[in-house]
Amino acid sequence: MNRYPRDMQGYGRNAPNANWPGGAHVAVQFVLNYEEGGENNILHGDAASEAFLVDVLGAAPWPGQRHANVESMYEYGARAGFWRLHRMFTEAALPVTIYGVATALMRAPAQLAAMQDAGWEIASHGYKWVQHKDMSLDEERSQIAEAVRLHTLATGSRPLGWYTGRSSLNTVDLVADYGGFAYISDTYDDDLPYWKVIHGHPQLIIPYSLSTNDMRFVTGPGFDNGEEYFQFLKDTFNCLYAEGQAGSPKMMSLGLHCRLVGQPGRFQGLKKFVDYIKTFDKVWVPTRLDIARHWMQEHPYTAPKVTPSLLPKDEFVTRYGSIFEHSHWIAERAWESELAPANDTAIGLHFALRTQFRMATPEERLAVLRAHPDLAGKLAAAQRLTADSTAEQASAGLDALTDAEREKFTALNNAYTQKFGFPFIVAVRDHDKASILANFEKRLANSAQDEFDTACAQVERIALLRLKAILP
């Protein structure tokens, strides 16, 4: 069974209304990453110096050596940048979520006290500010546990939010398995929170953003100065605010770093943005934990009635084998092909089934056409149609024909079948008796190939309508 694990579907065109407090059009959430003292350093037992997110052009790890310039840049974040940001946010009375690296918090008693005095949320940013992609499952699992232990020692309570940042493919699952987290943020895939089922248990995901992250001051393409940064934040806010006014409120995440936006010239861009959003009403500025609690209340997890891509073969074929009339082989082939979360809706599953129908040989597709009953024919009179066909024909009133109408349908059925070799097929839910008869007479004039193509298209349309009746 080939199952594609990535979710390319999401909320689709039907995103839920976030219903932010006070009818806010947008939730603007500030994250301050506190990593200073938790970065790669041989003093911390690491193999090399840090080289990530610093103002050293072309920085590279130095194996077995300390890097004085990089270390001092991280120290700037703790010594100066943090306090500049702390003053601004406390004076503006805006809440902040700290992504705190556990080992960094253990080396920052004054900064930690200031965070707690301000009432900021302190979420976990992992044990150390290091790369996780090459860690074994056991090593990463151990680091998650140690991060929670140290975080609890430092702050007095365990973290309820998690963001690794330099994560592996296993990070989200491992953190969810550890348990007890109100949210995990190691994704960048949406403008709204969402629920993800991990090993049978629902976990709230609150996506983060790197497009609005101040890391782009030291990565390319990025921001050259505070004014460019401000303009990008302003444009992002304006777009999301307008969508909220139109009835689709979203979330804007800003990721900050003490050693980056804490620099004076960059800081001015952030300050301008804070001043800008304060001129608007209906803007909610929460912590990420506030967002999590709101989402749990307004949009609690609801298990789907069925998830097609996760069904065993027998159940999948039982449920969807009749979508294409008497052609279970289409469902069997679809199950054996690549299925993913994108195939768990009516449109998505229709695409998977339709693809198998289109890939079939002309003879196989002809057999599907011949599996369909005549409209208002002998099978209908004998009540031997499938449940779907019975309901569809009844929807157009074909179960209540006058004698004259029945004779006309019989004559058209005979003429059509004699000419093309398969029954006349039309998505009757799109029609009434009059338009069905008009289509019948019009299509009798088609060439054999044109009518084969038309009938196949109608078979696909019938399948879509059947799926829309049972799936989102």
Side-chain angles (χ1 to χ4, degrees):
M1 180 174 61
N2 183 16
R3 292 297 174 264
Y4 190 64
R6 299 168 64 198
D7 185 352
M8 314 293 275
Q9 174 66 22
Y11 290 121
R13 67 177 65 188
N14 299 311
N17 188 320
N19 195 27
W20 300 132
H25 298 320
V26 64
V28 179
Q29 205 286 301
F30 295 95
V31 167
L32 181 57
N33 294 268
Y34 197 88
E35 300 156 351
E36 289 74 13
E39 77 278 14
N40 283 288
N41 192 312
I42 63 171
L43 294 175
H44 306 159
D46 301 307
S49 62
E50 185 57 76
F52 189 45
L53 300 188
V54 290
D55 282 297
V56 176
L57 295 178
W62 290 0
Q65 296 185 52
R66 294 172 63 186
H67 194 311
N69 290 348
V70 168
E71 285 189 20
S72 64
M73 289 174 184
Y74 270 80
E75 289 159 12
Y76 180 94
R79 293 161 57 107
F82 171 81
W83 298 108
R84 181 172 286 121
L85 293 165
H86 178 268
R87 283 192 297 272
M88 181 190 71
F89 282 116
T90 54
E91 289 172 3
L94 293 178
V96 172
T97 290
I98 296 290
Y99 282 166
V101 173
T103 50
L105 293 177
M106 292 294 287
R107 297 184 173 109
Q111 294 90 338
L112 176 58
M115 297 171 195
Q116 294 184 310
D117 289 345
W120 294 351
E121 176 201 359
I122 306 178
S124 181
H125 198 10
Y127 171 54
K128 298 170 71 173
W129 177 231
V130 297
Q131 186 58 259
H132 288 63
K133 69 180 180 65
D134 296 320
M135 287 185 185
S136 67
L137 286 170
D138 286 343
E139 182 181 4
E140 188 169 9
R141 189 179 290 113
S142 175
Q143 290 217 2
I144 291 167
E146 184 63 4
V148 173
R149 187 185 74 84
L150 286 185
H151 188 106
T152 304
L153 283 174
T155 68
S157 59
R158 63 150 294 166
L160 297 179
W162 182 279
Y163 174 73
T164 300
R166 298 162 88 170
S167 57
S168 75
L169 284 173
N170 302 310
T171 296
V172 172
D173 286 4
L174 290 174
V175 175
D177 286 346
Y178 184 90
F181 288 97
Y183 68 89
I184 299 172
S185 289
D186 276 297
T187 67
Y188 310 90
D189 52 3
D190 215 303
D191 296 313
L192 287 173
Y194 61 89
W195 293 97
K196 181 178 182 179
V197 177
I198 299 173
H199 300 153
H201 300 286
Q203 172 65 59
L204 184 64
I205 306 295
I206 302 183
Y208 194 40
S209 174
L210 296 187
S211 69
T212 52
N213 195 295
D214 67 354
M215 67 183 288
R216 293 183 58 202
F217 280 115
V218 291
T219 58
F223 307 121
D224 286 332
N225 52 64
E227 191 61 32
E228 285 187 2
Y229 178 51
F230 166 64
Q231 188 61 51
F232 187 82
L233 296 181
K234 178 182 175 182
D235 289 346
T236 302
F237 173 85
N238 288 346
C239 175
L240 295 174
Y241 192 88
E243 290 181 5
Q245 283 182 308
S248 185
K250 301 294 195 316
M251 177 182 69
M252 179 179 178
S253 297
L254 282 83
L256 312 172
H257 297 78
C258 304
R259 65 193 176 279
L260 299 181
V261 80
Q263 296 280 348
R266 296 164 179 166
F267 172 81
Q268 286 301 103
L270 176 63
K271 178 70 164 57
K272 288 178 69 173
F273 178 71
V274 168
D275 293 341
Y276 178 72
I277 66 172
K278 289 172 71 175
T279 66
F280 288 79
D281 61 359
K282 294 190 177 298
V283 176
W284 184 39
V285 181
T287 65
R288 291 178 90 74
L289 187 56
D290 290 334
I291 291 174
R293 287 169 173 162
H294 172 84
W295 205 261
M296 291 174 186
Q297 179 177 332
E298 294 293 322
H299 301 283
Y301 175 72
T302 302
K305 294 180 179 178
V306 63
T307 305
S309 65
L310 299 181
L311 293 176
K313 184 175 183 178
D314 288 348
E315 185 176 353
F316 184 89
V317 174
T318 297
R319 285 179 177 272
Y320 308 115
S322 63
I323 297 299
F324 281 76
E325 193 88 0
H326 295 299
S327 302
H328 285 63
W329 59 268
I330 294 177
E332 291 171 356
R333 292 181 187 178
W335 187 89
E336 291 165 358
S337 70
E338 179 183 286
L339 291 179
N343 302 117
D344 291 331
T345 65
I347 289 175
L349 184 54
H350 179 256
F351 184 88
L353 296 171
R354 185 189 71 186
T355 297
Q356 297 305 319
F357 176 61
R358 291 181 178 182
M359 290 172 62
T361 65
E363 293 75 19
E364 288 174 323
R365 292 203 288 165
L366 178 60
V368 175
L369 301 186
R370 288 175 173 168
H372 279 257
D374 288 331
L375 292 184
K378 295 179 181 179
L379 290 178
Q383 297 183 336
R384 291 173 56 197
L385 299 179
T386 65
D388 284 329
S389 290
T390 298
E392 288 158 0
Q393 295 204 21
S395 72
L398 301 187
D399 60 339
L401 299 177
T402 65
D403 290 342
E405 289 171 333
R406 187 172 293 105
E407 288 178 8
K408 188 166 188 178
F409 267 100
T410 299
L412 289 169
N413 278 326
N414 291 338
Y416 184 96
T417 304
Q418 184 175 357
K419 180 175 180 179
F420 297 114
F422 52 83
F424 176 76
I425 301 170
V426 68
V428 294
R429 291 192 183 276
D430 292 333
H431 297 275
D432 57 21
K433 281 188 291 186
S435 65
I436 290 172
L437 286 169
N439 269 271
F440 222 144
E441 293 171 344
K442 177 182 177 181
R443 285 168 54 182
L444 267 170
N446 282 347
S447 68
Q449 186 60 56
D450 285 346
E451 189 53 26
F452 180 82
D453 294 341
T454 299
C456 286
Q458 288 297 302
V459 165
E460 293 179 3
R461 174 65 179 166
I462 292 167
L464 177 60
L465 293 173
R466 289 177 176 179
L467 286 169
K468 283 187 172 182
I470 58 175
L471 286 174

